[in-house]
Amino acid sequence: DAGITQSPRHKVTETGTPVTLRCHQTENHRYMYWYRQDPGHGLRLIHYSYGVKDTDKGEVSDGYSVSRSKTEDFLLTLESATSSQTSVYFCSSRGADPGELFFGEGSRLTVL
Amino acid sequence: AQTVTQSQPEMSVQEAETVTLSCTYDTSESDYYLFWYKQPPSRQMILVIRQEAYKQQNATENRFSVNFQKAAKSFSLKISDSQLGDAAMYFCAYRSARGADGLTFGKGTHLIIQP
């Protein structure tokens, strides 16, 4: 969707290394979300933010942290990556309309 | 917690035919949104259709329509005149109308279009 970009789009890393994924939106949306997608599981919510410095845990938050120092940026950090965190990660955002959500193009992370 | 169930891991339909994808959900809330997303091999998440729970009328978008049964907590997607470009994973999703919660997704249905 227009206005949301994720970086990097692809990353291969080794077990135990830190990884940060970035989500950047230009829509001035208040709410932002990180999901992971694995075969057989659909998308599952990791963390979300409802404003600058305001974040909360989702369904699968263990091993992940997030930060939001600016409205437009929402960072997802894996402090010490594990092979179970190999996945495709999606960022999403929304404004005041609770039914209108926008997705980034996804970031594929492989942890060896 | 809300749950979304898609009971058909895979569906196959002949081109130009009609196919219905099933979705059921569980919630204690009365005000919420339901969505169908399409994910082609490019993995882009594309909104197909959305339904507000307070609206009794079923949403339609061109060849796509839903059958929303609030009491039964059912939200099926009908695709008419199926086209090769409809082949993709389809995800049903739910979110509350209140608060900052994200989406709860089903596990998806892989739709195959037979030429």
Side-chain angles (χ1 to χ4, degrees):
Chain A
D1 290 61
I4 297 185
T5 55
Q6 295 182 224
S7 59
R9 296 288 312 283
H10 299 89
K11 185 173 181 66
V12 179
T13 191
E14 294 188 349
T15 297
T17 59
V19 176
T20 295
L21 305 180
R22 179 183 184 236
C23 179
H24 179 78
Q25 53 105 352
T26 58
E27 306 295 327
N28 200 34
H29 286 164
R30 176 182 176 186
Y31 304 96
M32 297 185 75
Y33 306 86
W34 276 107
Y35 298 87
R36 62 178 287 173
Q37 182 179 21
D38 305 291
H41 285 281
L43 279 76
R44 292 178 292 174
L45 183 66
I46 305 171
H47 280 281
Y48 64 97
S49 171
Y50 47 97
V52 173
K53 300 190 189 304
D54 292 323
T55 65
D56 207 347
K57 296 179 179 180
E59 177 188 357
V60 290
S61 60
D62 287 349
Y64 302 95
S65 62
V66 290
S67 64
R68 193 163 178 208
S69 59
K70 299 184 291 184
T71 298
E72 57 265 36
D73 289 327
F74 192 32
L75 304 181
L76 177 70
T77 297
L78 292 65
E79 299 291 346
S80 178
T82 67
S83 58
S84 65
Q85 294 175 313
T86 292
S87 188
V88 178
Y89 292 85
F90 284 93
C91 177
S92 174
S93 73
R94 73 168 179 89
D97 183 349
E100 189 170 32
L101 302 100
F102 300 88
F103 280 88
E105 294 179 317
S107 296
R108 179 178 292 280
L109 175 66
T110 301
V111 183
L112 302 176
Chain B
Q2 293 81 15
T3 59
V4 176
T5 302
Q6 294 180 248
S7 58
Q8 305 150 317
E10 187 172 279
M11 292 282 287
S12 181
V13 64
Q14 291 290 128
E15 194 175 4
E17 296 294 309
T18 295
V19 64
T20 299
L21 308 184
S22 301
C23 174
T24 58
Y25 59 94
D26 188 25
T27 184
S28 58
E29 299 184 337
S30 59
D31 197 11
Y32 49 86
Y33 291 83
L34 295 164
F35 307 85
W36 278 99
Y37 282 92
K38 171 185 178 182
Q39 188 180 44
S42 67
R43 77 175 179 230
Q44 182 182 5
M45 295 294 289
I46 301 167
L47 177 65
V48 175
I49 202 164
R50 86 179 204 189
Q51 175 82 42
E52 291 91 335
Y54 66 88
K55 291 185 178 179
Q56 294 190 354
Q57 185 173 7
N58 289 327
T60 62
E61 288 288 343
N62 301 313
R63 297 183 295 107
F64 299 87
S65 61
V66 296
N67 183 3
F68 173 48
Q69 301 290 327
K70 190 172 183 179
K73 297 179 181 175
S74 171
F75 183 61
S76 61
L77 174 70
K78 185 172 80 172
I79 306 174
S80 304
D81 185 26
S82 297
Q83 301 175 359
L84 294 176
D86 295 333
M89 284 293 292
Y90 286 81
F91 292 97
C92 180
Y94 165 102
R95 83 165 300 274
S96 171
R98 299 175 299 173
D101 292 356
L103 293 168
T104 300
F105 286 85
K107 294 184 178 182
T109 296
H110 181 211
L111 179 63
I112 299 168
I113 310 295
Q114 305 280 5

